[in-house]
Amino acid sequence: MAHFQTDTNYYLNPAAPGRFEGQVPDLPVEGEVPHHLKGAFFRIQPDPLFPRMTEEDVYFNGDGLLARFDFDNGQVRFTQRYVETDKLKLEKAAGRALFGRYRNPLTDDASVEGKIRGTGNTNPFVHGGTLYALKEDSPAIVMDPWTLETKGYTDFGGRMKGQTFSAHPKIDPVTGNMVSFGYGSSGPLTTDCTYMEVSPQGELLKEVWFKAPYYCMMHDFGVTQDYVIFPIAPMVSSWERLQANKPHFGFDKTLPVYLGVMPRQGDAKDIRWFKAPNQNACHVFNAWNEGTKIFFDVPVSRGNGLHFFPDLDGSPFNPMEALALPTRWIVDYASTGDEFKKVTRLSSMGGEFPRIDDRFQTFRHHHAWWLVADPSKPFTKGCGPGFANIGYKNMTNGYESVWWAGEEYHLQEPCFVPRSKDAPEGDGYLIVLADNLVANLTELVILDALAVEKGPVARVKLPFRLRSGLHGNWVDASQMPAA
Ligand code: V55
Ligand code: FE
């Protein structure tokens, strides 16, 4: 197989890989880090350790490079290590890349046929004191939350039969269970899916198998006290695509969107599929139910939101159709029809990476934050307008505010941090990584969560640039296991 050893397209500055592990014991701070914050902020970025073996690839395909920011008494320490997946171990032993393109095993070196291709690069998620590195094409990976050592894939003691575990589980605040799902559960491109619940002790309590209406990138889902909601949006694939060396996913403008609604106490036979016209959704703010009425808050775009997974019909990427608007989809599990038309726009501030105060997952939430793209603001030449703003909405009184980071910056997904463990919903801070595209350095910015427009209360300065990441989560010190 040809061995290109190249870093093309999405691998150039400012998206170039970091390719390093290390520690910084005490990061310099501008302003003041709240002294009472004691805990860890985990975040992860895709970051290919070896130069790619294929000429083309997408940013989603890097090895998981996991970081922890430790907060204690106003000081912040940084630690970063690779997720040592089976894939990365094989590549380290060979001294070069062996795995080819994103979710295309047909592009791999023959020596790694049949190996798990996961990278653990999407979400570092803590449940019951266990840190998982998650990637939706493979099982969950157990990590040591203190040393960031990789313990390996888990099938929950042999109980998980599906081959995949979503990067977006939720924690039910009542039972403490981690509620999750998988797609492509019997192998790549299969329509088999699973719904799972894991106890705080790490026991897989259930695995319900069901079939999706079509194979697609089911990246996130909704969990309420009584239902789970599976969104099917037309980011699709096929073996023909993979054989033709196209990107794994492409957007199909002809297929409808479905919401699969299943009672959490129910089974596959209880799923109702509600149908809506062609559109796109990816991440989820939150979901809740009032009786059989289900509320599902998601950023929704009219068309394809990901330029590196082009439209199947070859039409050029359309940034206006790609911009997602926070939207409320409402369906009634007890209704007679199978269409859902009830849609409320929640904001005209377009963007993605929605977050709430996660202590209120599965219940009606009152505060929401997301990254906002605003093409009317100036931006650094060559870097595009990007996500340079944080949007906030009070869901009770409709009050909205926004913080613009400035033309030198792109922002990464925000994370809400409660002022204290028992603080009221929304009372606390927002942690945001801000990439300074001019200085080529990253800052960890801390905002007052209910007054983002006031700008940072502190800027924690990293002495290097982090690559654009996916997700991050705060863990209070009291919820970290003993070191
Ligand atoms: C997403 C990210 C992924 C992936 C599939 O944000 C979807 C969506 C970082 O990897 O594999
Ligand atoms: Fe995600």
Side-chain angles (χ1 to χ4, degrees):
M1 167 161 291
H3 196 241
F4 292 100
Q5 285 278 337
T6 56
D7 285 328
T8 58
N9 298 338
Y10 313 116
Y11 293 88
L12 302 174
N13 270 333
R19 300 197 161 119
F20 70 93
E21 303 180 309
Q23 271 213 1
V24 185
D26 185 15
L27 292 166
V29 178
E30 197 181 292
E32 198 147 345
V33 175
H35 281 233
H36 59 273
L37 283 186
K38 194 169 158 72
F41 174 59
F42 293 95
R43 58 81 66 182
I44 203 157
Q45 66 189 35
D47 197 307
L49 180 58
F50 290 95
R52 306 309 309 150
M53 64 185 280
T54 57
E55 265 186 309
E56 298 288 327
D57 207 354
V58 297
Y59 147 77
F60 283 178
N61 199 26
D63 299 297
L65 187 49
L66 173 64
R68 189 185 65 236
F69 293 83
D70 295 301
F71 287 69
D72 190 12
N73 202 28
Q75 276 193 314
V76 184
R77 180 176 62 218
F78 175 86
T79 310
Q80 176 162 277
R81 269 183 99 159
Y82 272 100
V83 181
E84 298 269 336
T85 55
D86 298 9
K87 166 198 180 284
L88 193 56
K89 281 190 206 151
L90 288 161
E91 292 187 333
K92 278 186 160 183
R96 65 178 184 94
L98 297 171
F99 292 77
R101 294 183 70 159
Y102 175 76
R103 287 163 91 168
N104 188 348
L106 307 178
T107 59
D108 294 347
D109 188 278
S111 67
V112 298
E113 196 184 332
K115 302 291 183 191
I116 303 181
R117 302 183 86 253
T119 51
N121 72 8
T122 313
N123 196 5
F125 194 84
V126 174
H127 175 239
T130 300
L131 171 64
Y132 298 96
L134 302 173
K135 174 77 172 179
E136 67 196 41
D137 68 351
S138 42
I141 300 165
V142 178
M143 308 291 296
D144 183 311
W146 288 112
T147 64
L148 302 187
E149 273 168 316
T150 303
K151 296 184 179 169
Y153 286 112
T154 181
D155 60 5
F156 300 96
R159 286 198 177 190
M160 186 178 108
K161 304 298 181 197
Q163 296 177 17
T164 63
F165 192 94
S166 167
H168 285 288
K170 322 282 173 216
I171 292 174
D172 178 334
V174 176
T175 61
N177 287 352
M178 172 166 66
V179 184
S180 190
F181 70 100
Y183 75 94
S185 303
S186 329
L189 278 60
T190 61
T191 55
D192 292 307
C193 301
T194 62
Y195 155 59
M196 292 169 272
E197 294 212 18
V198 179
S199 77
Q201 291 73 40
E203 191 187 1
L204 186 69
L205 301 172
K206 67 166 85 181
E207 182 185 56
V208 175
W209 284 74
F210 64 95
K211 283 206 184 279
Y214 55 82
Y215 173 86
C216 69
M217 186 179 91
M218 203 196 332
H219 181 65
D220 200 348
F221 79 140
V223 182
T224 81
Q225 277 297 297
D226 301 314
Y227 298 93
V228 271
I229 301 111
F230 303 106
I232 301 291
M235 194 59 89
V236 300
S237 190
S238 65
W239 283 108
E240 291 71 44
R241 285 185 70 78
L242 305 194
Q243 270 147 7
N245 202 27
K246 290 181 176 163
H248 183 97
F249 290 112
F251 190 77
D252 187 336
K253 283 191 216 161
T254 69
L255 291 171
V257 159
Y258 293 93
L259 281 188
V261 181
M262 181 166 82
R264 279 172 65 188
Q265 300 303 331
D267 212 329
K269 66 177 184 334
D270 303 315
I271 298 188
R272 288 202 57 192
W273 291 102
F274 296 91
K275 202 167 155 184
N278 185 271
Q279 55 198 306
N280 197 36
C282 184
H283 289 114
V284 175
F285 282 99
N286 183 32
W288 74 94
N289 71 289
E290 291 166 11
T292 57
K293 208 170 166 189
I294 292 142
F295 301 81
F296 187 63
D297 284 7
V298 280
V300 175
S301 58
R302 263 184 296 159
N304 184 358
L306 299 172
H307 62 92
F308 44 84
F309 293 141
D311 287 4
L312 296 193
D313 68 6
S315 45
F317 186 71
N318 180 338
M320 285 322 290
E321 296 213 335
L323 197 62
L325 294 173
T327 301
R328 178 162 298 164
W329 280 343
I330 304 171
V331 291
D332 190 337
Y333 184 75
S335 70
T336 48
D338 69 349
E339 303 270 324
F340 73 94
K341 295 201 185 75
K342 187 116 204 231
V343 168
T344 316
R345 289 281 175 233
L346 299 173
S347 175
S348 58
M349 293 194 285
E352 244 283 351
F353 292 102
R355 293 305 294 259
I356 66 159
D357 178 339
D358 281 331
R359 296 172 302 164
F360 294 83
Q361 281 286 345
T362 77
F363 290 101
R364 182 172 200 141
H365 61 281
H366 301 93
H367 306 278
W369 298 266
W370 66 101
L371 293 182
V372 173
D374 179 357
S376 74
K377 300 228 173 83
F379 55 87
T380 302
K381 234 203 195 131
C383 294
F387 292 132
N389 309 271
I390 297 279
Y392 162 76
K393 186 174 174 100
N394 181 313
M395 308 302 291
T396 316
N397 61 22
Y399 170 80
E400 285 191 348
S401 62
V402 65
W403 173 61
W404 179 45
E407 64 191 273
E408 294 184 359
Y409 288 91
H410 278 179
L411 300 177
Q412 305 196 23
E413 184 195 52
C415 176
F416 176 80
V417 179
R419 189 173 307 278
S420 66
K421 254 176 63 187
D422 310 312
E425 183 190 345
D427 179 21
Y429 303 94
L430 214 60
I431 286 181
V432 188
L433 289 185
D435 302 317
N436 186 316
L437 305 166
V438 177
N440 207 28
L441 295 169
T442 298
E443 301 166 18
L444 182 150
V445 161
I446 304 173
L447 301 155
D448 181 337
L450 298 182
V452 295
E453 71 284 354
K454 289 188 181 151
V457 300
R459 291 174 181 267
V460 181
K461 307 248 177 166
L462 286 157
F464 38 75
R465 174 183 54 81
L466 288 175
R467 200 175 191 221
S468 194
L470 273 307
H471 302 290
N473 294 295
W474 171 261
V475 183
D476 189 85
S478 65
Q479 261 127 26
M480 284 286 281

